[in-house]
Amino acid sequence: MNVIPLERARARLRAPRRIEPPSALSPVRIIAPSRIADDEEEDRLRMRQNLAAFLVIIAIVTAGSWLMANLQRTSQLRACLEAGHRNCLQAQHLTSPYRR
């Protein structure tokens, strides 16, 4: 059987803790110029990473939409062929100077 000593718990409740203000309310600290340069470099790196992630997402969406269009076109062609139709491919209408 485990016995939990209550003396420590009671001592924690009795001891008042000092309340610290949030760091936003503390006096302004002077930041070293080297730290500012490091922060700017981190911001540049983060912006490059965000741009690269955006380009990757655009490439994935573009490839996905192209793939979906091709799969749909192939599915329609197979359904047409299975139905026994002869002219399943859509003709590309070219304008000819000799045709009126």
Side-chain angles (χ1 to χ4, degrees), residues 7-56:
E7 293 303 320
R8 274 196 298 179
R10 286 183 184 152
R12 275 190 285 162
L13 291 176
R14 279 185 251 142
R17 293 184 186 179
R18 183 171 179 232
I19 299 173
E20 295 289 330
S23 61
L25 299 177
S26 63
V28 177
R29 291 180 287 159
I30 298 174
I31 301 173
S34 63
R35 177 145 182 185
I36 292 173
D38 290 342
D39 289 344
E40 288 176 358
E41 184 61 33
E42 286 177 10
D43 288 343
R44 286 189 198 117
L45 177 63
R46 191 174 301 118
M47 288 295 289
R48 281 189 223 126
Q49 290 171 345
N50 289 342
L51 180 64
F54 178 72
L55 293 176
V56 166

Side-chain angles (χ1 to χ4, degrees), residues 69-86:
N70 280 341
L71 287 173
Q72 183 180 12
R73 193 177 317 125
T74 304
S75 175
Q76 290 173 350
L77 178 64
R78 286 188 179 193
C80 180
L81 289 173
E82 288 175 359
H85 299 288
R86 291 185 183 178

